[in-house]
Amino acid sequence: MRSLLRTPEYGPLVRDSSLVWLAGGVVGVSFGAVSVAGGLPVWVPVLMSLLVYAGSAQFSTVGVLLAGGGPLAAAATGLLLNTRTAAFSLAVAEIIGRRRLTRFLGAHLVTDETVAFALAQPDPARRRRAFWISGAGLFAAWNAGVLAGALAGSALGDTARYGLDAAFPAVLVALVLPALREDASVRRSALLGAAVALAVTPVVPPGVPVLLALCGLFLHRRDGEAAV
């Protein structure tokens, strides 16, 4: 195994992926700890991470639940946030492979980071290796972090003493900052969505403001059409 990692085919890919794995594990610890410290049983974030495996969608879903929102609003928020992976899957369909089992497993590993890392490689063979190496490593790091955080979170007690309720919005802001910096249209859409969410928060149930904030996407679509 060690000799394999030293080869030019695999060594650089493992090295370049390792920082993403580390970051994913740290965020996973945060997700597991805050979920359990907020009142959810340990198995909820652990099972969600294994079966759903969608960082920002998981944060949003659990955030809605901890805020008092119903399961339907929480699930709808997570699903809407994760619809972007449909486009990602199309982009890496040929990279993953043609066999049904391979595509099934590969689809579960599709994330922003894995797709971006794979598509940045210069040739098809290297893209395929990059996808599976980065995807499998990130999946393992994320789930290990979630389990560690969940086990630690059960010992934290009252989350109000630590201010852990601020962890969800802080991580979500960190997740969207790169897109906000790079695209003015995205910034305008985000501002509109945030304004709508703040305006309706006093009068609608928890979780609904996040869904209504998606109206900002219409502004982004209009900007895109104008550019064309």
Side-chain angles (χ1 to χ4, degrees):
M1 181 66 177
R2 185 174 297 179
S3 60
L4 183 65
L5 295 179
R6 292 176 179 173
T7 63
E9 291 83 7
Y10 293 94
L13 296 176
V14 173
R15 182 196 63 217
D16 294 343
S17 299
S18 59
L19 291 178
V20 178
W21 299 342
L22 177 61
V26 170
V27 176
V29 170
S30 173
F31 174 73
V34 179
S35 298
V36 173
L40 295 176
V42 170
W43 65 266
V44 171
V46 172
L47 190 62
M48 182 185 293
S49 295
L50 286 170
L51 299 181
V52 179
Y53 185 52
S56 58
Q58 288 180 229
F59 271 105
S60 298
T61 299
V62 173
V64 170
L65 291 174
L66 296 184
L72 290 179
T77 301
L79 286 171
L80 286 171
L81 278 175
N82 223 34
T83 52
R84 71 189 189 284
T85 58
F88 293 164
S89 298
L90 293 174
V92 296
E94 294 302 318
I95 296 174
I96 292 174
R98 296 184 178 276
R99 291 192 297 178
R100 182 174 300 178
L101 179 60
T102 303
R103 285 181 174 251
F104 178 79
L105 294 175
H108 195 55
L109 298 180
V110 169
T111 65
D112 308 54
E113 299 84 359
T114 301
V115 171
F117 185 64
L119 294 180
Q121 306 308 314
D123 60 79
R126 191 173 177 86
R127 289 185 196 122
R128 179 167 298 178
R129 288 195 295 268
F131 175 85
W132 287 105
I133 290 173
S134 62
L138 185 57
F139 181 81
W142 170 262
N143 282 281
V146 170
L147 177 60
L151 293 175
S154 61
L156 292 178
D158 183 13
T159 59
R161 288 183 295 172
Y162 309 102
L164 289 178
D165 55 330
F168 279 112
V171 172
L172 289 174
V173 168
L175 288 170
V176 302
L177 270 179
L180 293 176
R181 288 172 177 167
E182 295 173 3
D183 194 327
S185 176
V186 171
R187 286 196 296 272
R188 288 192 292 270
S189 300
L191 287 173
L192 174 60
V196 171
L198 287 173
V200 301
T201 293
V203 295
V204 299
V208 176
V210 177
L211 299 178
L212 295 179
L214 293 172
C215 69
L217 294 175
F218 291 105
L219 181 61
H220 183 61
R221 179 181 177 183
R222 190 179 70 179
D223 288 346
E225 292 175 346
V228 174

